[in-house]
Amino acid sequence: WYQRRVRGLLAALRAKAVKAAIGVMVTASHNPPQDNGLKVVEPQGEMLLPRWERYSSQLSNTDSASLVEALKELGEEVEVSITSTQGRMIIGRDTRESGPEIAAAVTAGAANLQCKVENIGVCTTPQLHWIVKQSNIFKPSTLLDYYKTFAESFMALYGKPEADVKHSIKVDCANGVGAHALRTLAPSLTDHIDIIVCNDGSSGKLNENCGADFVKLMQNAPQGVNYSENEHCYTIDGDADRSLFFYFQDHKFHMLDGDKIATLFAGFLNTLIHEAELNLSLGVVQTAYANGSSTSYLHTKGIPVVCVPTGVKHLHKRAEDFDVGVYFEANGHGTVLFSDNAMEMINLRAARETRKIQKSAVTRLLAFTKLINPAVGDAITNILVIETILKLCKLSPQSWNNMYTDLPYRQLKINIRDRDIIKTTDAERKISSPAGMQEKIDALVSDFSGARCFVRPSGTENCVRVHAECATQHEADTLAMSVGSMVFDFTEALHSHL
């Protein structure tokens, strides 16, 4: 209770500092149901600034007797009076049993600093991000506004079903909050698409043998869902900010991850921008984990690709450098950002354009901007975007999947004594320290044609992660094992000399 209350105090202080609404989401995302935590959302719907994450850690490590003094000192550092009545906090939670208690602790902390609190109850993480962003830019918004906005945007871009035959999709909701959100949204879309909700929490456990994290890790379909050949199926995670697409062909499982989604979105947007004759920069932001084939495919389409360190905050920030920035992690978390310049140009052209092809393209582009959640990766809105693109471009799951073929890869976790001895550079694709380790990796990679491999320390565990890509699965397995063994031996040798 104390730690949660402290986070409430920190969030309230942040709200006072920005003099705006901030969000607090009670969730542990793709983790087991007994886990829970807090995410603080900035006024524009972004994640809490790193500097304030440090402040949060400082306060959390302060004992109760020293807390008031620590708050006063922090208030002075950020130039905020802890007795001011400015600021507003919007709290949401997923379906975990501990959610209400944690939300109450956060509310108590905020009340200590006279911060106004609005508890919107059960919602997805992206819904909270969207509501916070909308409330600060336009007007106070609610969950009903979310459903209305995206239902109308989907129907406008998707159009009427072809040949009056409604399409249906199945969504594995990981027994999480996404099921509640989809069940609320689905009735508004019944004239266009049927959404069949699976793993809705009525029987199974949250994230157990289901959900996007499970499907990505196991490379297999989630339990609790019945599938038909070539059926459009999705899996989302516990708080509905990740989504993956999958289907079966000839009884074989095929998964299309965040890389595939990014290339689908980028290709669609690239076509619209060119047809509309708009001078807008389009780019895709990836991490080192993006499959090399996706990067090569985007290059062949003339779409710039940049690589950043792992983490949504890095992807989101770099995407802002483009007029239209597409970013996705391989795990299915991502979105599309449109700059103020892009929005101004698109709106102006949509209002004035009279030529048929250009008018159609810019109209669709404008509708796309309203269907994407610009605050954060949103599994639900991304599913709607994917279905729209597949319909408009007349793409089957197979034709989408066949745009490029993923290189076989293998990921390993190598436990070592001290992960901090390994430092990386070049967006975590090269090791800068200890000296000599990168040269050994390069030597091992050179044994395989067209291969790549990188090693990076984990952000949460005392281990390193090895990622290897090769022309065949056997080669990828072999390279990953060779590099993993080398890293372990290298670090052990360093420790023996200390």
Side-chain angles (χ1 to χ4, degrees), residues 17-35:
V18 295
K19 300 177 183 179
I22 59 99
V24 175
M25 182 67 194
V26 183
T27 182
S29 188
H30 57 277
N31 293 302
Q34 64 270 21
D35 295 345

Side-chain angles (χ1 to χ4, degrees), residues 150-160 188-189 191-192 371:
F150 288 109
E152 292 177 351
S153 299
F154 171 73
M155 291 184 286
L157 185 56
Y158 187 86
K160 294 182 179 180
S188 302
L189 310 179
D191 290 339
H192 294 70
L371 184 54

Side-chain angles (χ1 to χ4, degrees), residues 260-297:
K260 292 279 187 176
I261 297 172
T263 55
L264 180 72
F265 283 21
F268 181 70
L269 291 167
N270 192 43
T271 298
L272 293 183
I273 289 170
H274 280 89
E275 288 182 351
E277 298 179 0
L278 292 170
N279 185 23
L280 295 174
S281 63
L282 166 69
V284 175
V285 186
Q286 298 181 329
T287 70
Y289 286 107
N291 195 275
S293 287
S294 70
T295 309
S296 299
Y297 174 81

Side-chain angles (χ1 to χ4, degrees), residues 413-422 437 455 457-458 461-464 484 487-489 491-492 495:
K413 182 174 76 172
I414 308 297
N415 293 315
I416 61 175
R417 297 193 197 187
D418 182 9
R419 64 181 176 179
D420 293 331
I421 67 172
I422 295 182
M437 183 178 286
V455 176
S458 169
E461 303 174 73
N462 200 30
C463 67
V464 295
V487 170
F488 181 81
D489 293 342
T491 55
E492 284 295 300
H495 281 292

Side-chain angles (χ1 to χ4, degrees), residues 470-488:
C470 292
T472 68
Q473 189 63 58
H474 175 71
E475 289 182 345
D477 293 343
T478 302
L479 178 57
M481 288 296 297
S482 298
V483 171
S485 297
M486 181 278 293
V487 170
F488 181 81

